[in-house]
Amino acid sequence: MLKVQTTTMRSFDFNPQMFKPLTTGRKIDGFFSAENGIMPGTCTVVAGSPGVGKTTVLLDVIADLKTKGKNVLYISGEMNRIDMVGYCKRYPKFKELEILFMGDYADECPLKVCEEVLANGSYDCVVVDSLAELASFYVEIHGGTYKAGTSRFLSLFEKHNLGENNGNVNTAFLIIQQVTKSGSFAGSNKIKHLATAMMEIQFDKETGDRYLQFTKNRRGGNANKLYYSLNTVNQVNWMYEG
């Protein structure tokens, strides 16, 4: 029979580092949380239109975190080394990022590959590009449903949110997820419930400009639209709020 237990927050012993934000030193910090930065142990799901710059924006963020001494990782299920050459030419700071190219392990279980890297790396912040690709790779090898594959990765991310790795680091995840043709979020309710925040990166229909906006954020932050440009070299140009 199912046994359900309640608890109190008094029974939890949290690492004080969980309440110290990861900061880039740039305008984007104030949009992530009321504490002005990405909070450790959180999951932010990032959705948006194809070509709007989701990957570029998130790589820009973790590259800036790295310059501040944070341990960061980019898990790429969609790009290979050659694809990254163009990114690094325009944004040289991306050359310093630690990258896990999932295509290098096409014959291996993607979940085990990620488990190994995350356990040993003790990362402060990880960009996942994308959750859909990881789940699809898993289903190709093991069968089953896309939903089940997704759940396995979400459970892994939650484990590292709680600091269950070699360095006891409460890892923050920035997770790219697909949207439907109509622009709505595509994914199971479990993703929405797990996520600390839901970010949309879109084109403004009137001006064509690009912006990001949080549609949900349990850690506060800014609810406005933050417009940006990719026309600069080496960094995303954060422009104005709308």
Side-chain angles (χ1 to χ4, degrees), residues 50-111:
V52 75
K54 298 184 294 296
T55 300
T56 304
V57 166
L58 297 186
L59 289 180
D60 185 77
V61 168
I62 62 170
D64 286 340
L65 290 178
K66 186 171 180 63
T67 65
K68 299 296 183 180
K70 299 303 179 183
N71 193 20
V72 301
L73 174 68
Y74 172 45
I75 299 178
S76 177
E78 300 192 359
M79 292 197 293
N80 55 36
R81 289 177 174 78
I82 296 176
D83 295 329
M84 281 298 298
V85 170
Y87 275 88
C88 293
K89 184 176 182 180
R90 186 157 189 179
Y91 302 91
K93 62 183 177 181
F94 292 179
K95 295 179 181 179
E96 306 304 320
L97 292 175
E98 189 172 342
I99 304 173
L100 170 61
F101 290 107
M102 295 303 299
D104 292 348
Y105 302 92
D107 297 327
E108 305 293 337
C109 171
L111 183 63

Side-chain angles (χ1 to χ4, degrees), residues 73 114-123 126 156 160 165 173:
L73 174 68
C114 289
E115 285 175 342
E116 178 72 14
V117 170
L118 292 175
N120 294 324
S122 301
Y123 296 100
V126 176
L156 174 63
H160 288 274
N165 48 57
F173 290 87

